[in-house]
């Protein structure tokens, strides 16, 4: 919940992410993140905003006739009242104009479980002069944060960056069962490596950094992504490995789209073969040591549906409308480097949805 005692941790996360603030919005309980953060008692039938700046005190914009639910709002925090849409938009502009703010928004509804703010409200906020950042940027921001600290007197450790990601999850109303995986080159060569407070490498300039993060809203479906970064220009070899992994991922996506758009059956094993063939032809086949992807269903991150697999098992189940899965080819050179790229796929009645929509095309160099 948003309370005076939780505010410093939230503001620290906002500052680390390079954000000016977090803008909460709700109308009729449409945004469970805002509802859960505020836990307002009584009836709220009008729009409200709450702005949490990275420094200073939060500000609420509330409707004049609905003040009862806000009786518990700290007296030291500003609370503005509006009646007309003109005053609402004027107050909003006064708060967010020129600022970079986070909201529960996913471009193109790529991650519907995180897409809680109506498009019209996003337009209103942008018209007020704000730049809206999506919650799906946590992985990329984690890599940028590691890069910004690499040349400082206090570079991050893998465990510290893992802790930062968990704090971002918590502030965004997301939950996870364990992880995330944060690993530099040699540690990333272990696909299931997890740093601990007792055993964690420092992230330095020159490192290849893997961030594998998965989370969901309470009782929602998991999103599972892996992002790759390079702290400084990568070596020719590491870039070659990245391109093999990226192209293998894209070959899997291309086969899925081709078959599904043509209304032809496609099986998980065939998709695994398409990705594995790319990596084998690039000379790294023996270092791709796991299946291309796992099932993701409403109950489990590693679900019971068809996997993208023709290595560990013979996956002959068809990928039919309603099934979800990861696509995550990887190359792991023992004690040297590990590189993986992971997106999620969902087969709908009208074709294939890949999330995030802006999945990684190049190494993120920071």
């Amino acid at each position: 919940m948003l309370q005076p005692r939780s505010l410093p941790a939230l503001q620290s996360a906002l500052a680390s992410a390079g954000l000016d603030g977090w803008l909460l919005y709700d109308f009729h309980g449409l945004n469970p993140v805002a509802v859960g953060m505020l836990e307002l008692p009584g009836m709220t039938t009008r729009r409200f905003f709450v702005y949490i700046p990275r420094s200073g005190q939060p500000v609420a914009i509330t409707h004049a006739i609905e003040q009862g639910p806000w009786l518990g709002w700290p007296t030291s925090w500003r609370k503005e009242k509006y009646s007309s849409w003109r005053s609402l938009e004027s107050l909003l502009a006064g708060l967010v104009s020129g600022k970079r703010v986070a909201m529960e928004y996913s471009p193109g509804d790529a991650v519907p479980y995180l897409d809680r703010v109506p498009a019209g409200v996003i337009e209103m906020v942008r018209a007020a002069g704000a730049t809206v950042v999506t919650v799906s940027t946590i992985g990329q921001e984690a890599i940028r944060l590691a890069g910004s600290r690499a040349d400082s007197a206090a570079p991050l450790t893998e465990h510290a960056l893992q802790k930062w990601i968990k704090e971002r999850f918590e502030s965004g109303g997301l939950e996870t069962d364990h992880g995330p995986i944060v690993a530099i080159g040699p540690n990333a060569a272990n696909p299931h490596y997890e740093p601990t407070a007792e055993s964690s490498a420092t992230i330095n300039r020159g490192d290849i950094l893997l961030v594998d993060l998965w989370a969901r809203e309470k009782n929602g479906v998991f999103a599972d992504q892996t992002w790759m970064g390079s702290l400084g220009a990568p070596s020719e070899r590491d870039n070659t490995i990245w391109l093999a992994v990226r192209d293998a991922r894209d070959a899997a996506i291309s086969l899925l789209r081709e078959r599904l758009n043509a209304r032809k059956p496609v099986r998980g094993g065939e998709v695994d073969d398409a990705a594995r063939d790319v990596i084998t032809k690039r000379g790294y086949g023996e270092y791709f040591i796991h299946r291309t992807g796992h099932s993701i269903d409403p109950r489990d991150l590693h679900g019971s549906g068809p996997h993208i697999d023709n290595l560990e098992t013979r996956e002959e189940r068809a990928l039919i409308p309603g099934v979800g899965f990861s696509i995550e080819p990887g190359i792991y050179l023992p004690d040297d480097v590990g590189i993986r790229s992971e997106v999620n796929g969902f087969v709908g009645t009208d074709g294939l949805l890949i999330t995030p929509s802006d999945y990684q095309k190049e190494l993120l160099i920071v």
Side-chain angles (χ1 to χ4, degrees):
M1 289 180 60
L2 175 60
Q3 298 175 337
R5 67 174 180 269
S6 64
L7 182 61
L10 290 173
Q11 292 181 320
S12 176
L14 291 169
S16 296
L19 296 168
D20 293 306
W22 181 10
L23 184 64
L24 294 169
Y25 166 84
D26 189 53
F27 176 67
H28 276 282
L30 290 175
N31 184 355
V33 176
V35 170
M37 284 289 290
L38 299 172
E39 292 192 349
L40 297 174
M43 182 185 302
T44 55
T45 64
R46 303 297 200 275
R47 294 174 290 178
F48 69 77
F49 288 93
V50 169
Y51 181 61
I52 308 170
R54 69 179 178 187
S55 63
Q57 304 304 317
V59 181
I61 301 178
T62 68
H63 196 277
I65 70 169
E66 291 187 348
Q67 294 303 296
W70 298 91
L71 291 176
W73 186 252
T75 56
S76 62
W77 295 0
R78 272 177 59 198
K79 178 166 64 67
E80 301 286 355
K81 300 176 186 177
Y82 77 93
S83 292
S84 71
W85 61 265
R86 293 180 179 86
S87 61
L88 170 62
E89 293 183 8
S90 176
L91 288 167
L92 182 63
L95 284 180
V96 302
S97 180
K99 294 183 171 63
R100 187 169 181 261
V101 302
M103 296 189 77
E104 290 68 52
Y105 159 66
S106 177
D109 194 41
V111 186
Y113 308 98
L114 302 179
D115 200 17
R116 301 297 187 172
V117 178
V121 176
I122 296 295
E123 292 171 359
M124 181 198 301
V125 173
R126 286 176 172 157
T131 299
V132 179
V133 178
T134 76
V135 295
S136 65
T137 61
I138 293 176
Q140 298 172 72
E141 289 176 350
I143 292 172
R144 292 190 180 99
L145 176 61
S148 70
R149 293 278 295 273
D151 298 318
S152 74
L156 288 170
T157 65
E158 296 165 326
H159 184 259
L161 189 56
Q162 180 194 61
K163 182 180 178 183
W164 180 87
I165 293 171
K166 288 180 177 179
E167 289 171 351
R168 292 297 309 277
F169 285 165
E170 184 177 353
S171 67
L174 305 177
E175 63 180 17
T176 189
D177 52 355
H178 64 288
I181 297 172
V182 177
I184 61 167
N187 292 332
N190 173 3
H192 283 174
Y193 169 83
E194 285 192 40
T196 65
E198 298 74 28
S199 177
S200 177
T202 299
I203 304 170
N204 293 309
R205 180 67 53 198
D207 285 334
I208 292 291
L209 176 61
L210 180 152
V211 175
D212 185 351
L213 62 171
W214 53 95
R216 65 180 179 182
E217 289 186 337
K218 188 174 179 61
N219 299 320
V221 177
F222 275 98
D224 188 4
Q225 303 173 17
T226 302
W227 294 84
M228 295 299 311
S230 177
L231 278 71
S235 69
E236 182 177 350
R237 191 229 26 204
D238 289 346
N239 193 57
T240 296
I241 294 175
W242 159 252
L243 293 175
V245 168
R246 181 200 68 181
D247 294 350
R249 177 202 68 197
D250 291 350
I253 294 172
S254 294
L255 176 64
L256 282 162
R257 285 187 170 140
E258 176 187 336
R259 293 283 188 86
L260 293 170
N261 290 344
R263 306 290 182 181
K264 293 181 179 179
V266 58
R267 306 182 188 281
E270 295 176 285
V271 182
D272 180 275
D273 287 344
R276 199 167 301 278
D277 183 58
V278 171
I279 289 177
T280 298
K281 287 180 177 177
R282 304 284 177 92
Y284 291 101
E286 66 181 294
Y287 303 109
F288 184 9
I289 56 178
H290 58 69
R291 62 193 175 192
T292 294
H294 56 81
S295 164
I296 301 174
D297 65 29
R299 293 172 296 278
D300 245 326
L301 173 62
H302 292 81
S304 301
H307 303 294
I308 309 302
D309 186 15
N310 197 26
L311 176 72
E312 301 175 34
T313 63
R314 293 187 297 275
E315 184 54 85
E316 298 178 347
R317 289 176 289 179
L319 299 169
I320 61 174
V323 302
F325 43 84
S326 70
I327 300 173
E328 49 180 304
I331 295 173
Y332 311 92
L333 306 187
D335 302 316
D336 191 343
V337 72
I339 293 179
R340 177 166 68 249
S341 179
E342 181 179 14
V343 299
N344 300 153
F346 176 77
V347 181
T349 55
D350 56 350
L352 178 69
L353 172 68
I354 295 294
T355 61
S357 59
D358 57 343
Y359 54 86
Q360 190 170 6
K361 305 301 192 299
E362 305 295 339
L363 274 176
L364 184 57
I365 300 174
V366 295

